[in-house]
Amino acid sequence: MEQQRLPQELLKAPISERVTFFVNYTMAHPHLIQTFNQVMQSVYQAPGISLIFVVGATGVGKTTLLRRLEQKLTEKALPELKHNQGKVPVIGLEAKAPEFSQFDWKDFYIRLLKVLNEPLIEKRLIMGNLAPRGGVQWNRL
């Protein structure tokens, strides 16, 4: 994560433009930079598909980190995406924390399909529990 310097021309810009710059400015904390570098290293060292979970308290920079990772990984994948438009270089998904019950896996997978722009989410079939005698029971979402 490179640090963005204050553009010199901003000093001569109208006040409204300067305010907009600072409202939209995100300063990277050293821990955020360190975590970004560790995650990038993990992505490129892991064989195959990687699942990386980023957890932490509200407001510590998880979403900022995710957005920057998505941007950087997509930039690095652009040459390959020109030849393979079906490839998805990175998926960012915020899992909804359960309030009073167990984690809702169905909701999680529906959110995942939406992030992937699956056109027929409501029409998809999912495999349910194994039926007696080893058969497969199919359920609609």
Side-chain angles (χ1 to χ4, degrees):
M1 256 184 180
E2 64 275 350
Q3 287 289 335
Q4 180 183 3
R5 296 197 179 272
L6 178 71
Q8 291 299 311
E9 60 273 7
L10 188 64
L11 297 173
K12 296 176 183 173
I15 291 177
S16 62
E17 195 174 317
R18 288 184 262 169
V19 169
T20 301
F21 175 84
F22 284 105
V23 166
N24 295 323
Y25 183 79
T26 301
M27 180 177 216
H29 188 279
H31 290 297
L32 186 62
I33 295 169
Q34 179 184 1
T35 303
F36 173 83
N37 292 331
Q38 288 173 339
V39 172
M40 288 295 286
Q41 183 178 6
S42 297
V43 167
Y44 287 107
Q45 286 182 349
I49 298 172
S50 303
L51 291 177
I52 299 173
F53 295 88
V54 178
V55 296
T58 302
V60 297
K62 297 181 300 292
T63 302
T64 301
L65 175 67
L66 175 63
R67 298 296 170 248
R68 184 68 177 131
L69 287 166
E70 288 174 336
Q71 177 187 16
K72 202 56 145 173
L73 292 169
T74 301
E75 284 174 10
K76 287 190 176 214
L78 278 177
E80 188 177 345
L81 292 175
K82 289 179 182 177
H83 304 292
N84 182 2
Q85 295 179 358
K87 181 176 179 150
V88 179
V90 63
I91 300 169
L93 176 64
E94 186 174 335
K96 185 178 171 187
E99 291 183 29
F100 302 108
S101 62
Q102 293 183 342
F103 185 75
D104 187 348
W105 284 100
K106 181 178 176 181
D107 176 69
F108 176 77
Y109 286 118
I110 289 171
R111 287 170 181 261
L112 180 61
L113 290 170
K114 286 180 180 177
V115 168
L116 291 169
N117 295 319
E118 172 61 46
L120 301 172
I121 294 172
E122 300 304 322
K123 302 289 184 197
R124 296 284 293 196
L125 294 175
I126 60 170
M127 190 165 76
N129 296 330
L130 290 179
R133 296 191 220 150
V136 176
Q137 173 186 347
W138 294 90
N139 298 318
R140 290 208 178 267
L141 288 177

